[in-house]
């Protein structure tokens, strides 16, 4: 028995933010029914294609464990089928451009009327306000949610990060809202509207930078090794910006990822200085306390880097970890793909796809002891259309054939089943 077994999700998501959410719910055991436009499907099936005529990794890595039905929801028979799906499912998740579901004829009020227990969950770029009607992609959210202005070096431009905090981050927030709404429904008996704006999701993840913005009113942020005599939270390179200073220092090898991120907790200073051959700095009042070191963090990390340059990043990590010093090598995606520990825990999984063959994906990042997430292949476009109509909606074969004839399920318009 899985955590969300028995829960049916009507999945109207596409691209990344929504699919991240419904994939997580599928791994938790929900039956995720992905509704796709006949003949086209989720646009990402055909984006960033690496193998001709095969669903892209973009799609396969975000849609595992789901079922796919093709349905034209603007066709009259398609609308009737959609109504039956709404009545049969527990959650509807969508991340269309603002107003798209309303234009289809299914505003929240109608959905509630059709199924008062329905949880209707949406991702949009912005919440109510001047930008609520805007279409939004990942980097727009990173820029408007405060992440880009605080990422990068202080003498360079704002930067976006490779972690998809706008898309996948908001999908994660939405999944959390859906699970809470499902829990509340147990006692209330009612569904509810769950909305996650990408700007809000990014800001939630960048909240420490809003903390710093307010601290600026009381003086410079001394833990950042950049000029903080400014009135906006600055970009501070690789500085941790937290209570414990940190920096990415170079290691042996000289490659683009031969770096280790090191943190100087107060008890670690003495060990660092022994390793670096500078024992005289352990008790020197100019260096021995966190407050004394703050104005010269650059110099502290330069001293540490002289030592790390004599070790590979893995050697440095082993030596520092043996003394409980928090640190971490900068790992490339190539290294992560080969990391045995991540394979062992199911965080990196090899999946077999019917037309692609084997590929790697990221599995469930949260481990539940009683609800194991087994990653299965993503569905082919419309792979489960008939199965869903017959088993979930209880349509007769005659009704399914009529639906094919109407064009609601796509081409061939007159496909018949026995
Ligand atoms: N049958 C018939 N029509 C369908 C359908 C189906 N099964 N599925 C989708 N459609 C229609 C929609 O109704 C919509 O039509 P209208 O414009 O006539 O209302 C149309 O397909 C396309 O929807 P869209 O506007 O959402 O798609 P887009 O490619 O133009 O925009 C995106 C994409 C992501 C910018 C936009 O959906 C958006 O802003 N979403 C909210 C924010 C979000 O999630 N962004 C993250 C995306 S991941 O980087």
């Amino acid at each position: 028995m899985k955590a969300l077994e028995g829960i049916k999700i009507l999945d109207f998501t596409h691209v990344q933010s929504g699919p991240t959410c419904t994939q997580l719910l599928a791994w938790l055991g929900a039956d995720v029914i992905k509704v796709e436009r006949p003949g086209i499907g989720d646009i990402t099936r055909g984006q960033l294609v690496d193998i001709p005529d095969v669903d892209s990794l973009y799609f396969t890595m975000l849609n595992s464990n789901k079922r796919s039905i093709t349905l034209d929801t603007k066709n009259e028979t398609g609308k009737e089928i959609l109504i039956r799906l709404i009545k049969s499912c527990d959650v509807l998740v969508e991340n269309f451009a603002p107003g798209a579901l309303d234009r289809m004829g299914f505003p929240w009020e109608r959905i509630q009327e059709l199924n008062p227990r329905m949880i209707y969950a949406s991702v949009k770029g912005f919440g109510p306000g001047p930008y609520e009607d805007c279409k939004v992609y990942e980097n727009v959210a990173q820029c408007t949610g405060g992440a880009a202005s605080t990422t990068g070096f202080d003498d360079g431009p704002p930067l976006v990060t490779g972690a998809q905090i706008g898309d996948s981050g908001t999908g994660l927030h939405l999944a959390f809202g859906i699970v809470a709404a499902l829990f509340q429904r147990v006692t209330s008996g009612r569904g509810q509207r769950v909305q996650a704006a990408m700007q809000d999701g990014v800001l939630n993840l960048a909240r420490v930078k809003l903390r710093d913005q307010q601290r600026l009113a009381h003086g410079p942020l001394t833990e950042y090794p950049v000029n903080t005599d400014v009135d906006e939270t600055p970009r501070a390179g690789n500085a941790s910006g937290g209570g414990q200073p940190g920096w990415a220092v170079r290691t042996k090898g000289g490659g683009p990822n031969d770096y280790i991120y090191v943190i100087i907790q107060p008890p670690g200073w003495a060990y660092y200085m022994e390793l670096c051959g500078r024992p005289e700095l352990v008790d020197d009042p100019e260096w021995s306390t966190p407050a004394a070191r703050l104005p010269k963090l650059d110099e502290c990390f330069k001293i540490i880097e002289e030592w790390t340059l004599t070790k590979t990043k893995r050697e440095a990590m082993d030596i520092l970890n043996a003394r409980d010093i928090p640190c971490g090598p900068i790992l490339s995606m190539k290294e992560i793909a080969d990391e045995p520990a991540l394979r062992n825990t199911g965080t990196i999984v090899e999946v077999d796809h019917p037309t692609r063959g084997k590929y790697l994906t990221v599995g469930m990042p949260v481990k539940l002891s009683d609800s194991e997430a087994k990653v299965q292949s993503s569905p082919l476009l419309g792979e489960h259309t008939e199965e869903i109509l017959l088993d979930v909606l209880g349509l007769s074969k005659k009704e399914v054939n009529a639906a094919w004839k109407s064009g609601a399920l796509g081409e061939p318009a007159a496909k018949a089943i026995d």
Side-chain angles (χ1 to χ4, degrees):
M1 171 100 185
K2 298 265 183 70
L4 294 183
E5 210 161 300
I7 297 296
K8 285 196 188 64
I9 313 274
L10 185 52
D11 181 10
F12 262 115
T13 68
H14 64 160
V15 204
Q16 187 182 161
S17 62
T20 300
C21 166
T22 51
Q23 179 168 258
L24 287 164
L25 301 174
W27 287 337
L28 288 170
D31 179 8
V32 176
I33 299 170
K34 186 166 173 109
V35 181
E36 298 185 80
R37 248 187 305 183
I40 305 168
D42 185 326
I43 191 100
T44 63
R45 284 185 185 269
Q47 281 181 339
L48 311 179
V49 169
D50 54 336
I51 304 174
D53 303 322
V54 168
D55 286 334
S56 70
L57 285 166
Y58 195 166
F59 180 84
T60 55
M61 291 178 74
L62 284 158
N63 290 284
S64 59
N65 297 52
K66 304 180 185 178
R67 297 200 277 173
S68 166
I69 174 173
T70 46
L71 188 66
D72 180 352
T73 54
K74 289 177 178 162
N75 166 299
E76 277 318 305
T77 306
K79 278 190 203 296
E80 282 164 29
I81 291 173
L82 178 55
I83 289 170
R84 294 178 76 149
L85 281 166
I86 290 172
K87 287 181 176 169
S88 313
C89 290
D90 301 277
V91 185
L92 186 157
V93 192
E94 62 92 24
N95 68 310
F96 289 131
L101 219 60
D102 299 7
R103 288 193 290 278
M104 245 180 231
F106 294 92
W108 167 222
E109 297 70 26
R110 173 123 197 258
I111 291 169
Q112 248 181 326
E113 237 171 66
L114 291 168
N115 180 357
R117 284 176 61 78
M118 173 65 85
I119 290 156
Y120 174 19
S122 305
V123 170
K124 296 289 167 254
F126 296 95
Y131 304 124
E132 63 188 315
D133 291 331
C134 299
K135 289 187 176 183
V136 167
Y137 283 107
E138 170 69 44
N139 289 343
V140 176
Q142 288 199 25
C143 293
T144 55
S149 69
T150 53
T151 304
F153 287 87
D154 65 335
D155 56 355
L159 282 185
V160 295
T161 160
Q164 305 286 282
I165 56 177
D167 279 340
S168 286
T170 309
L172 192 53
H173 283 100
L174 191 73
F176 148 77
I178 291 170
V179 171
L182 281 167
F183 186 69
Q184 190 174 1
R185 195 180 71 168
V186 174
T187 44
S188 74
R190 287 191 314 277
Q192 62 183 298
R193 190 93 168 84
V194 179
Q195 290 167 291
M198 293 168 74
Q199 181 184 40
D200 301 7
V202 170
L203 178 58
N204 186 36
L205 299 176
R207 84 174 37 228
V208 297
K209 301 297 178 178
L210 182 58
R211 171 201 69 194
D212 291 342
Q213 180 62 44
Q214 297 175 85
R215 290 173 59 228
L216 277 174
H218 305 282
L221 310 174
T222 46
E223 70 288 351
Y224 285 127
V226 295
N227 174 26
T228 61
D229 197 5
V230 289
D231 66 356
E232 293 179 329
T233 306
R235 294 189 270 286
N238 285 316
S240 79
Q244 315 290 348
W247 197 254
V249 291
R250 287 173 298 158
T251 57
K252 199 164 149 181
N257 293 308
D258 285 323
Y259 283 81
I260 184 166
Y261 197 90
V262 290
I263 291 172
I264 309 176
Q265 278 186 316
W269 178 248
Y271 185 56
Y272 271 125
M273 290 308 102
E274 278 165 31
L275 280 175
C276 298
R278 302 294 298 272
E280 75 279 7
L281 301 185
V282 173
D283 295 319
D284 181 338
E286 289 293 309
W287 294 84
S288 58
T289 63
R293 290 191 291 270
L294 263 188
K296 42 181 177 278
L297 284 176
D298 277 2
E299 289 171 72
C300 294
F301 290 116
K302 261 189 206 130
I303 295 171
I304 293 171
E305 190 174 63
E306 278 168 27
W307 173 74
T308 56
L309 277 167
T310 68
K311 307 285 172 213
T312 66
K313 59 189 175 187
R314 301 274 187 177
E315 285 167 353
M317 186 177 189
D318 289 345
I319 294 168
L320 295 174
N321 268 345
R323 289 296 186 103
D324 268 349
I325 291 187
C327 63
I330 278 63
L331 294 181
S332 69
M333 278 299 159
K334 184 170 184 287
E335 290 168 313
I336 284 174
D338 294 337
E339 185 76 35
L342 294 176
R343 297 285 185 116
N344 292 341
T345 56
T347 296
I348 299 271
V349 201
E350 192 174 75
V351 183
D352 208 356
H353 182 272
T355 56
R356 162 173 290 280
K358 290 192 191 322
Y359 67 98
L360 287 186
T361 192
V362 184
M364 179 68 157
V366 189
K367 320 294 181 196
L368 277 72
S369 63
D370 232 2
S371 183
E372 195 197 347
K374 259 192 146 22
V375 182
Q376 291 151 7
S377 171
S378 59
L380 298 174
L381 179 60
E383 182 179 341
H384 306 98
T385 301
E386 283 157 11
E387 176 184 304
I388 289 164
L389 296 175
L390 294 167
D391 301 348
V392 177
L393 298 188
L395 261 58
S396 66
K397 287 179 179 168
K398 204 172 147 200
E399 287 171 308
V400 175
N401 285 338
W404 276 117
K405 282 189 189 134
S406 75
L409 309 178
E411 296 296 333
K415 182 171 171 177
I417 56 173
D418 299 327

